């Protein structure tokens, strides 16, 4: 009941999967998706649009971080400041970064300071799957917080599986390439008993972050006005990641424990502006958390209970003699407990109740900083009905926030109730794998500690920023043997309304800002995606397959704050009207080849859609070639990647140049 | 079905081929404003230096030509197409001296030197975090926030740089206190308003520095008020200084310094908030924008003072019906010939601003759209 086993198994890339597939039958069906090697989306059990990348496909995509991989999802824009150490955040369906929840192994990651999760801090090295759920996951048994975000990214690390008679798995990987990259990693998994296993994952990444970038402009008559090539500096990173996982099961359930530490020292490359080619900002992060989950099922009753403690330390320094000196330290603590309980009233009707309690604190050595802490309670009730061809889910989340600040009166408590309703209908039942779906969801984001309490800028009287989403969609999803072994097509149209958007507002005097609930945004979007796997010689025992995936996103996201604004009804910054991606990969007998293409259309760097703010479209093409070679008991793997093969020089964020053509080579050995 | 899936991909490739890899330099944008034409003016026109949001590299230069009222937005790339990354980041001051125009581009750490009539580039002088520029005795002086570190390296003090305009080289650097701002040159002395922000939120200094230009040394510190910013001399022997206050208990004010026994000292405090001011004959026109936490809005005032008596004058110089058309006043300059006032509106700092011309009747005579954060104005003499 926890997660249904996929109803189909693709017979693709079996050669690549051989090292894992053998163990599949031993596992409880709770977390096992490994046998599905290439799936564009989760099975049609989902009422809500969800997109997933996992396993082999993830491995072959030339992606070096979670954020890179998310660029292949429709409706997603990744804000990328460039380079190995550059900050990367995600914006889903133009609603804003802070509306996207990010969950790692079942528990949401938090950043009470600015609400943004830097996805660069998570590695694909031990990642089993990444999913994006618009609205929320189609699950009743989940923490109350998971009912809250406007969209959620679920990252799941690899869970150990052992071939019969094997007590351990081990993998060593070494990546190197452009930007003076040195990136070794190790993964070890141990079977500690019939009902207990452990995994250890460690990674070190070091890179100078140096790459060439180029700014070229033509005069109106077509002659070159200027053509400047320079090297990106102060983008170096030196980071380690350590993860320990323990997984166990018992008669009526299972449990998971995870400890995580990320420690980095990196440069902030900063904006390239006239006469400034190097900056001196540095950020050190030391982020740790420990979390545990227990799932117990007794008869019709299932309970999921979680606990987490997180401690984040950030040290920000500006060493540039030409700039005002800055040296600030931030410390965040988070304590989180959650209980989620599901009851199956009838086989076709389930209900659940979840409650989360969370405490956050931020300390900073900034003059006049309010040193806030926050107690949040989340209470969610949900129900799901499965009426044959019609599936229905509904949830209601209540959020209750209490903040305290030092030396001032605590701001008023905030509360909000946010409902969500989901429907999916298979009009022709099992005869035709076609389903229609629709959802409505309200959600909000709390103002962050920075919005509320940052010295001088913060505004303690801010209201939460609110989002309403309406989505209708259609999915065709068919798996069969034969030439076209799998096909999935989907289209979703949506309308989102963002109000009380928290924006920086000038305080009048000399470039001083404050935060206000001022913005209103209307979003009309269309996500199209298609995935097809063809098996030209499907009768062979080791056939070769070609998988094609494409997605296209249309997003009209306009600022409707006030007709008196010069940017009234203009497209909001950094949101292209058109964007999309295409991926082709083919595998045969241990060989794999992958081509990935990403396109982002014209955007504007500021609110006004005028020529001075226009940013040109960009596209990148990446290619990888891989070979898996069994040697004795081990499987050696080598993968060569060339990214941005057409050497397009572009900015995702204005004045943050992205790398041109670059390459990477990955060696790994697994036993 | 297979063909279906190819459609989005073909569409994508088609879209990709539209991406124009060859970007053209930013064009200037010309607008005709017939009302702005002044037939017999002592001035050829008015320059507007737009700061541009920090890090955006969108500092731009606009120009209103008085002969025919043509306003040109963003003329620098047009006049200097080969200058990589254009004018730069965060323009903070503009000064026209003789045939030259000097621009402090603080985020680009340079003093940009242009031909005042053509806006064509002559050269630049690298000065870190430069703030304001002044000319005196044949030299150029520039204030900077970052002149060096205190002995314990915890604090950065500011500096005044002296530049030889013929060679465009720094000929002297005088360390001064924290965060020096605007300067005024009077009788062989340079007076520097210092904002004094050392520790965030703390304003330990409240002085105008008096620098002797012959020896290039600090002679005196004149106590005035909190967080000083602008300074300008009038024709009555006064020095006018604006102070931003501490945004809390100590309010923003306009101060008048006068000479007793040959030395300037604080004479009068005008009991009204002042963000910036302009001296026009015997009148000081000023405005203030102060954030009001209770109403979550800016309180904006437009006031005037008598330069001779240093007394606040009743009333405003902008009709109240016109005041509502201005969101965020950000720079002010009077035309000495016809007493019209040029006032800019920075709006929300991240969109195009406006330049308004206010007639002597208090009505807005004309308005044009400028670059982002029009912050600094200079009249070009004929």
């Amino acid at each position: 009941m926890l997660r249904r086993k996929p109803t189909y198994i693709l017979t693709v890339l079996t050669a690549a999967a051989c090292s894992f597939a053998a163990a599949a039958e031993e596992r409880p069906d709770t977390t096992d998706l490994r046998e599905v090697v290439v799936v564009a989306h989760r099975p049609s059990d989902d009422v809500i649009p969800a997109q997933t990348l996992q396993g082999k496909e993830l491995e072959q995509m030339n992606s070096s971080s979670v954020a890179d991989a998310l660029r292949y999802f429709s409706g997603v824009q990744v804000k990328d400041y460039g380079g190995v150490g550059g900050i990367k955040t995600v914006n889903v369906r133009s609603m804003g970064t802070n509306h996207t929840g990010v969950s790692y192994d079942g528990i949401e990651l938090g950043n009470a300071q600015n609400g943004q999760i830097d996805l660069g801090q998570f590695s694909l090295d031990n990642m089993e799957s990444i999913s994006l759920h618009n609205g929320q996951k189609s699950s009743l048994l989940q923490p109350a917080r998971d009912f809250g975000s406007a969209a959620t990214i679920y990252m799941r690390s690899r869970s150990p599986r052992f071939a019969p008679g094997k007590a351990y798995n081990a993998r060593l990987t070494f990546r190197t390439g452009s930007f003076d990259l040195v990136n070794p990693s190790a993964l070890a998994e141990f079977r500690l008993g019939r009902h207990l296993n452990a995994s250890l994952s460690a990674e070190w990444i070091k890179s100078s972050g140096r790459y060439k970038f180029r700014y070229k402009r033509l005069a109106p008559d077509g002659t070159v006005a200027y053509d400047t090539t320079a090297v990106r500096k102060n983008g170096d990173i030196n980071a380690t990641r350590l993860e320990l996982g323990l997984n166990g099961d018992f008669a009526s359930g299972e449990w998971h424990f995870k400890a995580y530490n990320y420690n980095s020292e990196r440069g902030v490359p900063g904006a390239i502006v006239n006469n400034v080619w190097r900056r001196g900002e540095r950020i050190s992060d030391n982020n740790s958390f420990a979390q545990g989950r227990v799932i117990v099922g007794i008869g019709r009753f299932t309970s999921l209970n979680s606990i987490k403690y997180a401690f984040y330390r950030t040290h920000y320094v500006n060493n540039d003699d030409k700039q005002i000196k800055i040296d600030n330290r931030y410390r965040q603590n988070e304590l989180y407990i959650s209980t989620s309980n599901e009851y199956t009233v009838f086989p076709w009707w389930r209900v659940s109740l979840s409650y989360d309690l969370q405490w956050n604190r931020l300390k900073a050595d900034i003059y006049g900083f309010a040193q806030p802490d926050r107690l949040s309670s989340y209470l969610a009730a949900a129900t799901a009905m499965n009426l044959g061809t019609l599936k229905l889910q509904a949830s209601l989340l209540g959020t209750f926030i209490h903040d305290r600040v030092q030396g001032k009166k605590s701001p008023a408590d905030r509360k909000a109730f946010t409902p969500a309703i989901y429907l999916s209908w298979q009009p022709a039942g099992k005869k035709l794998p076609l389903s229609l779906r629709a959802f409505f969801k309200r959600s909000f984001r709390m103002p962050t500690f920075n919005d509320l309490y940052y010295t001088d800028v913060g505004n303690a009287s801010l209201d939460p920023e609110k989002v309403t989403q309406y989505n209708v969609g259609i999915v065709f999803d068919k798996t069969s043997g034969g030439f076209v072994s799998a096909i999935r097509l989907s289209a979703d149209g949506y309308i989102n309304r963002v109000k009380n958007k928290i924006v920086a507002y000038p305080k009048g005097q000399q470039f001083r800002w404050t935060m206000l609930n001022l913005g209103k945004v209307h979003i009309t979007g269309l996500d199209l995606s298609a995935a097809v796997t063809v098996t030209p010689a499907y009768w062979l025992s080791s056939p070769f397959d070609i998988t094609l995936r494409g997605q296209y996103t249309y997003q009209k996201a306009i600022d409707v704050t006030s007709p008196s604004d010069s940017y009234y009804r203009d497209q909001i910054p950094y949101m292209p009207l058109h964007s999309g991606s295409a991926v082709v990969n083919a595998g045969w007998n241990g060989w794999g080849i992958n081509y990935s293409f990403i396109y982002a259309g014209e955007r504007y760097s500021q609110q006004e859609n005028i020529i001075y703010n226009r940013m040109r479209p960009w596209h990148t093409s990446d290619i990888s070639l891989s070979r898996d070679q069994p040697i004795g008991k081990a499987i050696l793997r080598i993968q060569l990647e060339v990214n941005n093969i057409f050497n397009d020089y572009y900015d995702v964020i204005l004045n943050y140049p992205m790398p041109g053509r670059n390459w990477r080579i990955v060696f790994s050995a697994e036993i | 079905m297979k063909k279906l899936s190819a459609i989005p991909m073909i569409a994508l490739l088609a879209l990709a081929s539209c991406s124009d890899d060859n970007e053209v330099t930013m064009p200037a944008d010309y607008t005709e404003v017939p009302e702005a034409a002044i037939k017999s003016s002592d001035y050829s026109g008015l320059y507007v230096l737009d700061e541009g949001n920090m890090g955006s590299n969108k500092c731009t230069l606009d120009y209103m030509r008085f002969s025919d009222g043509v306003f040109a937005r963003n003329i620098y790339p047009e006049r200097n197409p080969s200058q990589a990354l254009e004018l730069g980041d965060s323009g903070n001051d503009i000064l026209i001296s003789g045939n030259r125009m000097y621009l402090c581009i603080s985020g680009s750490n340079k003093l940009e030197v242009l031909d005042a009539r053509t806006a064509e580039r002559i050269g630049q002088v690298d000065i870190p975090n430069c703030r304001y520029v002044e000319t005196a005795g044949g030299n150029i002086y520039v204030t900077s926030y970052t002149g060096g570190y205190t002995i314990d390296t915890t604090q950065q003090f500011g500096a005044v740089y002296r530049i030889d305009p013929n060679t465009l080289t720094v000929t002297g650097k005088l360390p001064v206190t924290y965060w020096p701002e605007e300067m005024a040159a009077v009788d062989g002395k340079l007076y520097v308003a210092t904002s004094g922000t050392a520790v965030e939120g703390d304003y330990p200094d409240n002085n105008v520095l008096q620098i002797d230009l012959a020896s290039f040394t600090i002679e005196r510190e004149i106590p005035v008020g909190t967080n000083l910013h602008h300074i300008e001399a009038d024709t009555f022997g006064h020095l006018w200084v604006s102070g931003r206050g501490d945004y809390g208990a100590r309010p923003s004010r306009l101060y008048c310094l006068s000479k007793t026994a040959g030395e300037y000292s604080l004479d009068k405090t005008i009991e009204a908030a002042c963000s910036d001011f302009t001296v026009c004959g015997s009148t000081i026109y000023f405005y203030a924008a102060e954030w009001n936490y209770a109403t979550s809005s800016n309180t904006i005032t437009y006031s005037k003072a008598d330069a001779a008596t240093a007394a606040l004058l009743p009333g405003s110089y902008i009709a109240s019906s016109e005041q509502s058309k201005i969101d965020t006043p950000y720079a002010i300059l009077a035309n000495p010939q016809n007493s019209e006032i040029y006032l800019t509106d920075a709006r929300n700092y991240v969109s195009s601003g406006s330049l308004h011309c206010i007639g002597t009747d208090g009505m807005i005579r004309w308005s044009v759209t400028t670059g982002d954060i029009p912050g600094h104005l200079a009249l070009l003499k004929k």
Side-chain angles (χ1 to χ4, degrees):
Chain A
M1 219 52 231
L2 300 174
R3 171 175 286 131
R4 288 194 193 145
K5 205 160 185 166
T7 51
Y8 57 90
I9 295 173
L10 299 186
T11 56
V12 295
L13 290 177
T14 40
C18 64
S19 58
F20 314 111
E25 68 273 17
E26 285 198 345
R27 296 280 310 161
D29 68 350
T30 49
T31 54
D32 201 340
L33 279 167
R34 174 58 77 168
E35 69 270 39
V36 182
V37 181
V38 177
V39 195
H41 298 251
R42 284 201 53 224
S44 56
D45 199 31
D46 273 326
V47 182
I48 304 146
Q51 304 172 67
T52 298
L53 273 173
Q54 59 191 324
K56 202 73 191 166
E57 198 171 23
L58 206 49
E59 202 166 56
Q60 282 193 330
M61 269 192 167
N62 302 33
S63 302
S64 43
S65 78
V66 172
D68 283 350
L70 285 167
R71 298 181 305 166
Y72 298 99
F73 287 158
S74 52
V76 171
Q77 297 300 325
V78 174
K79 266 199 172 183
D80 189 340
Y81 291 81
V84 182
I87 288 168
K88 296 165 171 54
T89 60
V90 165
N91 184 355
V92 179
R93 291 186 169 182
S94 302
M95 294 179 287
T97 302
N98 288 309
H99 287 276
T100 309
V102 181
S103 170
Y104 191 36
D105 281 342
I107 298 181
E108 254 190 58
L109 297 162
N111 186 341
Q113 184 183 351
N114 57 26
Q116 308 200 341
I117 309 293
D118 180 9
L119 290 162
Q121 300 187 359
F122 296 89
S123 169
L124 289 178
D125 189 59
N126 66 331
M127 206 61 78
E128 187 163 280
S129 72
I130 304 169
S131 313
L132 169 69
H133 295 258
N134 292 110
Q136 64 208 35
K137 198 162 74 172
S138 301
S139 168
L140 291 193
L141 193 68
Q142 58 185 350
R145 263 175 81 182
D146 288 35
F147 292 99
S149 297
T152 308
I153 293 157
Y154 286 85
M155 303 187 290
R156 213 177 62 229
S157 66
R158 170 173 151 150
S159 48
R161 281 171 200 91
F162 303 97
K166 247 186 118 189
Y168 68 92
N169 296 320
R171 186 174 70 192
L172 285 172
T173 307
F174 184 77
R175 299 172 192 83
T176 183
S178 300
F179 326 118
D180 307 304
L181 177 73
V182 177
N183 180 201
S185 62
L187 178 73
E189 295 168 339
F190 305 98
R191 182 176 197 145
L192 302 174
R194 258 183 79 85
H195 301 289
L196 179 64
N197 64 53
S199 70
L200 195 62
S201 166
E203 182 170 3
W204 176 46
I205 184 162
K206 190 174 184 342
S207 164
S208 70
R210 292 166 72 93
Y211 55 84
K212 272 192 191 160
F213 63 92
R214 181 176 176 182
Y215 283 112
K216 181 182 173 184
R217 294 288 183 281
L218 301 183
D221 64 5
T223 56
V224 174
Y226 62 82
D227 186 355
T228 299
T229 303
V231 174
R232 195 74 167 126
K233 289 176 187 150
N234 197 40
D236 58 302
I237 183 165
N238 188 352
T240 57
R241 182 183 54 81
L242 273 174
E243 282 178 64
L244 167 73
L246 290 171
N247 306 290
D249 58 67
F250 48 93
S252 56
E254 59 184 68
W255 58 270
H256 304 274
F257 171 82
K258 179 168 211 79
Y260 171 98
N261 174 264
Y262 175 83
N263 193 351
S264 83
E265 203 283 318
R266 57 182 157 162
V268 181
I272 294 291
V273 300
N274 174 285
N275 211 33
V276 179
W277 303 93
R278 184 197 175 89
R279 290 175 187 264
E281 289 138 281
R282 314 283 309 171
I283 287 185
S284 301
D285 284 298
N286 196 336
N287 297 348
S288 303
F289 65 79
Q291 66 184 42
R293 288 187 301 147
V294 185
I295 306 161
V296 185
I298 303 162
R300 294 173 163 195
F301 178 75
T302 314
S303 178
L304 163 68
N305 296 285
S306 313
I307 186 164
K308 176 177 181 171
Y309 177 73
F311 179 58
Y312 297 157
R313 247 179 13 197
T314 304
H315 185 192
Y316 176 82
V317 193
N318 194 341
N319 290 326
D320 188 344
D321 284 345
K322 293 173 178 169
Q323 299 292 318
I324 306 302
K325 193 178 167 74
I326 298 171
D327 187 344
N328 291 135
R329 284 163 206 273
Y330 303 86
R331 283 184 299 162
Q332 284 192 66
N333 302 68
E334 178 176 316
L335 185 62
Y336 172 76
I337 52 172
S338 164
T339 178
S340 177
N341 303 284
E342 179 182 313
Y343 184 73
T344 305
V345 185
F346 297 106
W348 53 271
W349 183 27
R350 291 175 292 143
V351 292
S352 81
L353 197 64
S354 304
Y355 177 73
D356 296 2
L357 183 67
Q358 185 180 326
W359 172 76
N360 288 91
R361 185 176 69 184
L362 173 64
K363 288 195 161 192
D365 60 355
I366 297 173
Y367 173 87
F369 194 73
Q371 319 290 351
D373 73 335
R374 170 176 292 176
L375 202 60
S376 316
S377 298
Y378 304 86
L379 182 64
T383 183
M385 288 184 196
N386 195 340
L387 307 167
T389 60
L390 182 71
K391 288 176 191 156
L392 187 152
Q393 288 188 18
S395 66
L396 180 68
L397 171 70
T399 308
F400 309 89
I401 309 278
H402 174 69
D403 282 6
R404 286 188 309 187
V405 289
Q406 261 180 27
K408 286 179 200 161
K409 198 165 80 70
S410 296
D413 288 357
R414 293 171 177 86
K415 66 175 178 217
F417 295 92
T418 46
I421 297 170
Y422 304 84
L423 284 169
S424 120
W425 181 44
Q426 274 193 288
K430 289 205 163 62
K431 279 179 281 181
L432 184 69
L434 182 81
S435 60
L436 304 171
R437 60 192 176 193
F439 79 76
F440 155 80
K441 179 167 184 171
R442 283 231 160 96
S443 55
F444 73 97
R445 76 146 175 117
M446 266 304 290
T448 64
F449 282 160
N450 279 358
D451 294 336
L452 293 163
Y453 310 120
Y454 201 90
T455 309
D456 278 350
V457 177
N459 174 3
S461 59
L462 283 176
D463 287 322
E465 182 178 309
K466 288 178 178 159
V467 173
T468 308
Q469 299 182 74
Y470 307 88
N471 182 105
V472 290
I474 182 165
V475 194
F476 177 85
D477 191 348
K478 189 166 187 287
T479 310
S480 61
F483 180 73
V484 178
S485 48
I487 182 161
R488 184 184 165 104
L489 306 168
S490 75
D492 280 280
Y494 48 90
I495 290 172
N496 301 337
R497 297 275 180 265
V498 182
K499 65 174 188 180
N500 281 351
K501 195 174 167 72
I502 296 167
V503 295
Y505 185 82
K507 266 179 171 174
Q509 277 187 330
Q510 264 294 308
F511 225 78
R512 286 157 46 84
W513 302 84
T514 190
M515 309 306 289
L516 286 187
N517 287 105
L518 201 63
K520 251 193 217 168
V521 182
H522 283 186
I523 300 144
T524 312
L526 178 69
D527 291 355
L528 296 178
S529 70
V532 181
T533 300
V534 293
T535 313
Y538 56 90
W539 56 86
L540 297 180
S541 62
S542 173
F544 79 97
D545 322 275
I546 302 168
T547 299
L548 305 157
R549 291 184 51 176
Q551 65 87 5
Y552 163 80
T553 302
Y554 168 85
Q555 271 178 36
K556 181 103 186 144
I558 55 173
D559 190 312
V560 291
T561 307
S562 162
S564 65
D565 292 330
S566 55
Y567 43 85
Y568 183 63
R569 298 192 75 81
D570 279 1
Q571 185 84 354
I572 62 171
Y574 290 114
M575 214 40 72
L577 206 55
H578 306 281
S579 59
S581 66
V583 178
V584 182
N585 61 49
W588 181 69
N589 210 10
W591 288 93
I593 185 161
N594 186 88
Y595 169 77
S596 319
F597 170 83
I598 290 179
Y599 171 83
E602 172 183 279
R603 295 142 298 138
Y604 293 92
S605 61
Q606 289 174 200
Q607 286 157 312
E608 284 176 304
N609 291 181
I610 58 174
I611 188 169
Y612 301 121
N613 297 331
R614 180 185 178 271
M615 294 180 72
R616 72 167 175 86
W618 57 267
H619 57 90
T620 56
S621 287
D622 302 343
I623 272 185
S624 79
L625 180 70
S626 65
R627 168 80 184 151
D628 287 359
Q629 179 66 52
I631 295 180
K633 282 183 185 169
I635 294 176
L636 295 184
R637 177 183 169 80
I638 179 164
Q639 180 163 322
L640 178 68
E641 306 170 355
V642 183
N643 300 314
N644 195 357
I645 48 180
F646 298 117
N647 206 22
D648 188 16
Y649 289 103
Y650 65 104
D651 288 6
V652 175
I653 305 297
L654 181 71
N655 303 327
Y656 286 78
M658 299 293 289
R661 188 183 303 120
N662 62 86
W663 62 277
R664 196 169 71 145
I665 189 161
V666 184
F667 304 95
S668 76
E670 177 152 2
I671 49 169
Chain B
M1 278 306 174
K2 210 180 111 207
K3 274 182 186 162
L4 267 182
S5 75
I7 289 166
M9 272 174 232
I10 290 163
L12 277 174
L13 290 168
L15 280 172
S17 60
C18 307
S19 99
D20 44 328
D21 291 343
N22 290 315
E23 285 179 274
V24 178
T25 51
M26 284 297 173
D29 182 50
Y30 290 88
T31 320
E32 269 188 66
V33 190
E35 305 86 348
I38 311 174
K39 287 303 164 213
S40 58
S41 175
D42 295 350
Y43 301 98
S44 302
L46 174 72
Y47 280 106
V48 183
L49 181 67
D50 308 297
E51 295 183 0
N53 202 359
M54 214 186 285
S56 70
N57 201 46
K58 282 181 183 167
C59 172
T60 54
L61 189 65
D62 310 330
Y63 181 67
M64 169 58 84
R65 189 166 62 201
F66 288 146
S67 64
D68 54 3
V70 168
F71 183 75
R73 176 177 175 181
N74 195 16
I75 58 172
Y76 186 91
E78 183 193 87
R79 308 292 161 89
N80 305 282
S82 63
Q83 183 61 12
L85 300 178
E86 298 83 38
L87 184 52
D89 191 41
S90 304
N92 204 70
D93 198 18
I94 179 169
L95 171 78
I96 295 175
S97 172
N99 288 323
R100 284 185 174 185
M101 175 159 50
Y102 298 92
L103 308 172
C104 276
I105 314 296
S106 62
S108 288
N109 302 316
K110 66 168 183 181
L111 180 73
E112 179 86 8
V113 186
L114 306 180
D115 182 302
R117 306 208 172 266
T118 63
E120 281 166 9
R121 179 181 157 91
I122 294 166
Q124 72 177 52
V125 187
D126 285 348
I127 295 177
N129 221 315
C130 48
R131 295 288 298 171
Y132 286 90
V133 54
E134 181 58 291
T135 175
N139 283 314
I140 304 297
Y141 295 89
V142 174
T143 49
S144 161
Y145 275 179
T146 51
Y149 289 93
T150 51
I151 290 166
D152 63 358
T153 72
T154 56
Q155 303 291 343
Q156 274 167 304
F157 49 78
V160 177
Y161 287 79
R162 186 178 62 202
I163 293 142
D164 179 343
N166 299 313
T167 59
L168 294 184
T169 51
V170 173
T171 58
K173 177 186 168 187
L174 179 66
V176 297
T177 183
Y178 310 113
W179 293 34
E181 301 282 15
E182 202 172 31
M183 297 162 283
V186 183
D187 300 336
K189 314 281 184 195
L190 190 68
Y191 297 89
V192 185
T194 62
S195 66
T197 308
V199 186
E200 287 158 306
D202 195 11
Y203 302 93
D205 305 312
N206 50 10
N207 298 322
V208 166
L209 302 179
Q210 180 182 316
I211 293 168
D212 179 57
L213 291 177
S215 59
F216 201 37
T217 52
I218 299 171
E219 281 186 332
R220 288 175 65 228
E221 293 182 351
I222 309 164
V224 176
T226 305
N227 201 352
L228 302 180
H229 187 195
H230 293 291
I231 183 165
E232 194 177 339
D234 66 11
T235 52
F236 301 93
H238 301 134
L239 269 179
W240 292 86
V241 185
S242 69
R244 286 173 286 210
D246 66 352
Y247 312 108
R250 291 178 281 182
S252 164
R253 284 291 178 258
L254 177 64
Y255 304 97
C256 179
L257 279 59
S258 60
K259 268 186 179 170
T260 41
E263 304 278 25
Y264 275 113
S265 63
L266 177 60
D267 185 3
K268 281 190 176 134
T269 300
I270 307 289
E271 297 295 323
C274 176
S275 299
D276 197 2
F277 63 93
T278 182
V279 179
C280 182
S282 61
T283 312
I284 314 291
Y285 297 100
F286 61 104
Y287 68 84
E290 281 197 303
W291 184 250
N292 184 324
Y293 284 95
T295 62
S296 279
S297 64
N298 287 309
T299 302
I300 295 163
T301 50
Y302 300 94
S303 319
K304 55 189 177 180
D306 184 278
T309 62
L312 189 64
L313 294 170
S316 177
Y317 53 95
I318 305 180
S320 51
S321 61
E322 303 289 79
Q323 290 182 12
S324 59
K325 296 175 184 169
I326 304 161
D327 291 339
T328 313
Y330 206 72
I332 186 167
L333 183 70
N335 184 328
Q337 192 187 5
N338 60 13
S339 297
E340 286 179 349
I341 292 165
Y342 306 112
L343 187 89
T344 66
D345 183 354
R347 292 175 182 274
N348 70 347
Y349 293 161
V350 284
S351 57
S352 303
S354 304
L355 168 67
H356 303 289
C357 173
I358 294 148
T360 46
D361 57 355
M363 302 302 285
I364 293 177
R365 282 194 54 233
W366 50 264
S367 303
V368 286
T369 302
T370 65
D372 299 354
I373 319 176
H376 309 276
L377 302 166
L379 282 161
L380 176 65
K381 279 204 182 103
K382 261 188 180 156

